[in-house]
Amino acid sequence: MSSDRTLRGRVAIVGVGESTYYKHGQSPDAEFKMALQAILNACGDAGIDPRRIDGFSSYGDDRSEATRLASALGLPRLRTAVMQWGGGGGGSCAAVANGAAAIASGQADCVVAFRSLAQGQHGRFGQSSASGTLSGERSYLVPYGVISPPQRFAMRVRRYMHEHGVRQEALRAIALASYHHAQANPRAVMHGKPLDAAKYDASRWIVEPFHLFDCCMENDGAAAVVMVPAEQAPDLAQKPAYLLGAASGSGHRFATLGHNSPDYASANFKTVAQDLYRMAGITPADVGSVQSYENFTGGVVMALAEHAFFRPEEANEFLTLENLQAPSGRLPLNTSGGNLAECYMHGFEQVIEAVRQVRGTSTSQAMRNDVALVIGGPMVAPASNLLLGSAAAAGRHA
Amino acid sequence: MTHGRYLREGLPVPVAEPDGLSEPFWSGLREGVLRVQRCTHCGQWQFGPEWICHVCLRFDPAWTEVAPKGRIYSWERVWHPAHHALNEQGPYVAVLVELPHAGNVRMVGNLLGDPLQEVVIGAEVQGVFEHHPEHTPAYSLLQWRLR
């Protein structure tokens, strides 16, 4: 690989912003208005004029269109408008990478990556009222009552637990870590609503092996980051978080219809994690904190194993609340509360949290803040991931 | 299962895509036959269907009748309904069944019997056709019971 075919050290996230996070249906503001709030907050955080923005990047079929944003914000020009394919949260990191790639290749100078999602206004992922006929992927599942996301992912997780002897307690530790960190985060929807093992165990099944607390929330909100070329980052208001690496994609035929992925019991990171570490030039031991998308806790177990933090057979031993806690657990995980307990902003709140970890301003700061990992939607295709780091980690002089 | 149904009425009904890709599968179920694709050139089994064999890249893999039997590859028990038609259903079991005699292709269905039964990965199951000829359009599902 020639040395210029990388994002390492070439682009920085210089501003982060979010709307207020709400339970689904409780936002007083329209989805598009929240997108604008998040973008302006990110610009304010960076200390830049919003009219400097010349690109937008998003994922998951975001409804807040780049061209409408450019008009609404009075941008003098729009130079890049990128959408990652795939309907789920698998694009949370790819949205950052695609925007950064536009900057690194000279197609844009100031790109906002964002997600806006008002599930109260546009229908929930977890419920269906469809009738009539259907075809394609859903025709092999829905007539059998495999309809909502937890129902579509539970059998992957069950198979993984079967193959590797993973116990329910490993899933529980993921949930406990998110709720633990949310108690320190005033932005978190579940701030002030702690979770303990007994409450988890007593909670109802949504679909075995997922208890209620294994499943992400549904929320209204928006979140955004502003990126500029690395050379311009030190002049702005915040400590930059540089891209060390990014990857997205899918393993061999992972999206084959009707649950026919050859490697079924997988979060789909086996190829994507290798690409990420290769671009960043680091190993799992260098990572100080991880934000790992919890659509369902079982997906996090698989995603962490596929990013080589432990072997699947070690999951029960590795995944304890103690190990996953900031500041000094072995691997501080989902330090803002994540999709389970901060806000289900399709994982984009986790991108922002990784920036805060690098800055050293998280409400649950990890001891090591030079390298922060984000892992987008596990078990979906395409999936994506992202490594952010300090100037030193990116090989730049601060 | 010529009478009755495992899940309550009101879920969407499966049909082939407008381009007809999966039509031999769905018409097969209505005839009480399970068909999956098998490439006539390289012998590769394939499901869900596609217009091309993913190994040798020849077009139009042949639809081949296979015995509706297999073993449980994974399973889930659903407690929280995600569709209004199932609000009064109570818990139910979905299984992912692999067909070792057809290249280990997999099918999602329901496991007939007690919805609270213990489910064992690897258990042998037999396909049971659930026909709905009275429905417009007529359709059939493939369910599973322990062998």
Side-chain angles (χ1 to χ4, degrees), chain A residues 284-308:
Chain A
D286 300 317
V287 173
S289 62
V290 181
Q291 315 304 323
S292 185
Y293 192 109
E294 328 98 302
N295 35 17
F296 307 101
T297 54
V300 179
V301 177
M302 296 190 238
L304 294 176
E306 290 170 12
H307 283 79

Side-chain angles (χ1 to χ4, degrees), chain B residues 73-141:
Chain B
Y73 187 78
S74 193
W75 65 278
E76 67 187 29
R77 191 177 348 260
V78 178
W79 292 84
H80 180 75
H83 192 285
H84 61 79
L86 301 178
N87 282 349
E88 308 300 320
Q89 174 75 37
Y92 58 91
V93 175
V95 285
L96 181 59
V97 174
E98 66 173 346
L99 279 57
H101 54 293
N104 290 322
V105 298
R106 305 183 202 121
M107 312 260 161
V108 170
N110 297 117
L111 183 63
L112 303 182
D114 181 358
L116 298 181
Q117 68 187 292
E118 186 185 347
V119 186
V120 178
I121 289 178
E124 304 274 336
V125 288
Q126 176 68 42
V128 179
F129 293 90
E130 182 184 304
H131 296 297
H132 298 281
E134 77 292 349
H135 194 277
T136 306
Y139 70 100
S140 297
L141 303 178

Side-chain angles (χ1 to χ4, degrees), chain A residues 125-329:
Chain A
F125 290 110
Q127 285 289 324
S128 167
S129 56
S131 58
T133 62
L134 44 73
S135 54
E137 167 74 350
R138 290 167 59 77
S139 68
Y140 303 110
L141 308 176
V142 170
Y144 304 99
V146 179
I147 302 167
S148 62
Q151 296 165 359
R152 286 190 282 115
F153 292 118
M155 289 194 282
R156 272 191 205 276
V157 171
R158 172 65 71 194
R159 180 71 195 184
Y160 188 86
M161 294 171 80
H162 171 78
E163 289 184 4
H164 304 291
V166 175
R167 294 193 295 268
Q168 193 76 38
E169 289 82 352
L171 279 63
R172 185 177 68 187
I174 307 287
L176 293 179
S178 291
Y179 271 81
H180 173 79
H181 292 134
Q183 303 319 307
N185 177 2
R187 295 180 309 274
V189 172
M190 290 299 173
H191 181 69
K193 295 182 177 164
L195 177 69
D196 60 23
K199 189 173 172 189
Y200 172 96
D201 291 345
S203 68
R204 62 194 171 95
W205 291 114
I206 299 301
V207 47
E208 294 173 49
F210 300 149
H211 284 277
L212 174 66
F213 293 110
D214 291 302
C215 305
C216 62
M217 301 185 285
E218 295 181 285
N219 296 110
D220 296 348
V225 301
V226 186
M227 293 179 279
V228 301
E231 312 79 70
Q232 299 173 19
D235 302 331
L236 298 173
Q238 304 288 345
K239 177 183 173 183
Y242 295 90
L243 270 75
L244 303 181
S248 69
S250 194
H252 174 62
R253 303 187 75 234
F254 192 85
T256 309
L257 297 191
H259 290 226
N260 275 273
S261 329
D263 188 11
Y264 181 69
S266 166
N268 197 19
F269 285 107
K270 289 182 184 170
T271 56
V272 180
Q274 284 183 14
D275 282 351
L276 177 74
Y277 288 132
R278 189 181 307 118
M279 180 183 284
I282 68 164
T283 71
D286 300 317
V287 173
S289 62
V290 181
Q291 315 304 323
S292 185
Y293 192 109
E294 328 98 302
N295 35 17
F296 307 101
T297 54
V300 179
V301 177
M302 296 190 238
L304 294 176
E306 290 170 12
H307 283 79
F309 293 107
F310 49 83
R311 288 184 296 110
E313 291 69 25
E314 298 165 340
N316 297 320
E317 163 195 350
F318 190 98
L319 295 172
T320 65
L321 177 58
E322 189 186 1
N323 280 348
L324 303 178
Q325 277 182 47
S328 49

